[in-house]
Amino acid sequence: MVPGTLATVAELIERAERGFEITKGRRDGFDQDRKAAVDGVAHALRPTSMHRRLPARRLLFLDLEGPHPLAAVVLGDPDHATHLTWQVSGAGIRPGTAMWGTAREAGELLLEQRAAGAGAPAVIAWLGYPAPGMFRALSDRTARTCAARLAFDIRRVGELLPRTARMAIEAHSYGATLAAYALARLDAEPPPAGQAGPLIDTLATIGSAGIPDRLLRDPSDLGIPSSRRYEAVASRDLLARCGRLLSGRTTVAGLPFAVEGHPESGLHAVTGHNTSRFVPGSDDPEYGYRDPGTLSLHNLARILIGGTPPFS
């Protein structure tokens, strides 16, 4: 993608989807990893693959040129959005294994943002990096090397958004580490003359694997004041806590928000590290950070559109 060649995000999407039609015709010639990515994206985009209450999915990109497949799916209409959220996932979440589930989570977030009062929200389910496994997630290497792609995508889409749109990032697990490096990169590289910078004004992390201290030496680091940085780690999320301890990373130096449930409002507590855990009909249901009906998703939606969590 060359900056300045497109006027709308819709044009970016249309280009990606035309390319995807060609890619699907070449599927049989790919290795197993790339076949899985093509199939995962196709399943996520298929109109009948999710409940009809969820928004339609569109392809922002599918990149098969590098050593690992990368992809991002858009829900909502960024060209007319009041709010755009980048949803960045964590360790082990890749297009070939989790594109459908990640896109579904983005749809649930969008619906919750509408319920919270957002006029026209849009969400990007971004799987644009080779998410490491649990052991490799103790190192910052992947986050450092892949931050450029996330920063590029944020800037590229940000240049095409309505000037009144607000952008936010929601990041889970190792995705929080990556998001911090990308935000630091954006903060250190001002936009070209005559171009508005990206409008990222909020960062909300869930089950965060932590952020290095050196990225948080000042309240305004990452280009986002600490008053608009939020984080939540569920009491039963041992992976996030162990990950921080073993990696030596810290918090987001921002504000905590509640995910332990609010029975009076019928909102469930997060019961582990995953983003989705709920299985309908279960005798002993468990819930992830992005599951509908949780206090976590309820608070996230309100934080990401510029508000504050009503239950803390």
Side-chain angles (χ1 to χ4, degrees):
M1 295 183 293
V2 178
T5 60
L6 298 172
T8 64
V9 182
E11 291 176 11
L12 198 61
I13 290 169
E14 289 163 5
R15 177 185 291 183
E17 293 182 341
R18 286 196 301 269
F20 186 51
E21 290 303 311
I22 297 171
T23 297
K24 287 191 290 186
R26 299 168 51 209
R27 176 195 177 278
D28 291 344
F30 295 143
D31 62 23
Q32 191 56 43
D33 197 21
R34 285 164 175 75
K35 285 181 182 177
V38 171
D39 293 345
V41 168
H43 185 47
L45 298 181
R46 191 173 298 121
T48 57
S49 72
M50 298 184 196
H51 196 285
R52 61 178 177 269
R53 71 185 179 83
L54 291 169
R57 283 76 59 197
R58 304 292 302 275
L59 183 64
L60 184 64
F61 66 80
L62 173 62
D63 184 352
L64 302 179
E65 299 302 317
H68 303 284
L70 312 174
V73 168
V74 181
L75 295 92
D77 180 4
D79 289 318
H80 299 92
T82 54
H83 304 82
L84 175 68
T85 300
W86 294 83
Q87 194 171 67
V88 183
S89 291
I93 305 300
R94 297 190 178 192
T97 57
M99 190 75 258
W100 181 90
T102 306
R104 182 188 60 79
E105 291 172 350
E108 296 288 2
L109 175 61
L110 188 152
L111 294 181
E112 192 69 25
Q113 289 176 325
R114 283 181 184 166
V123 181
I124 295 176
W126 190 88
L127 300 184
Y129 77 115
M134 292 297 178
F135 180 76
R136 292 184 60 195
L138 296 177
S139 166
D140 287 0
R141 181 176 181 181
T142 299
R144 287 196 310 269
T145 57
C146 297
R149 177 62 192 252
L150 178 55
F152 175 86
D153 288 340
I154 290 172
R155 193 181 296 283
R156 182 71 184 99
V157 172
E159 291 171 358
L160 303 175
L161 291 180
R163 294 304 181 204
T164 55
R166 302 182 64 162
M167 281 206 291
I169 295 179
E170 182 259 87
H172 173 250
S173 186
Y174 192 77
T177 311
L178 171 68
Y181 274 101
L183 287 167
R185 190 181 185 96
L186 288 167
D187 190 41
E189 298 177 358
Q195 293 184 355
L199 305 177
I200 297 288
D201 61 13
T202 299
L203 170 66
T205 71
I206 45 178
S208 169
I211 293 172
D213 287 327
R214 64 182 176 277
L215 298 181
L216 294 166
R217 291 172 177 166
D218 185 270
S220 64
D221 281 348
L222 308 185
I224 299 174
S226 58
S227 61
R228 292 306 306 166
R229 296 200 300 261
Y230 289 84
E231 74 160 1
V233 178
S235 60
R236 293 169 60 182
D237 185 350
L238 300 181
L239 277 177
R241 298 176 192 282
C242 289
R244 292 183 184 196
L245 179 66
L246 295 174
S247 67
R249 302 187 193 108
T250 185
T251 67
V252 298
L255 303 172
F257 68 96
V259 295
E260 299 302 324
H262 196 265
E264 299 89 340
S265 303
L267 297 170
H268 303 291
V270 173
T271 53
H273 180 68
N274 292 350
T275 51
S276 294
R277 297 173 64 90
F278 178 65
V279 178
S282 173
D283 293 333
D284 187 17
E286 297 188 335
Y287 296 92
Y289 287 102
R290 295 174 181 163
D291 272 329
T294 59
L295 178 59
S296 173
L297 186 66
H298 183 90
N299 279 341
L300 274 172
R302 286 147 184 81
I303 289 167
L304 293 165
I305 63 173
T308 56
F311 305 117
S312 58

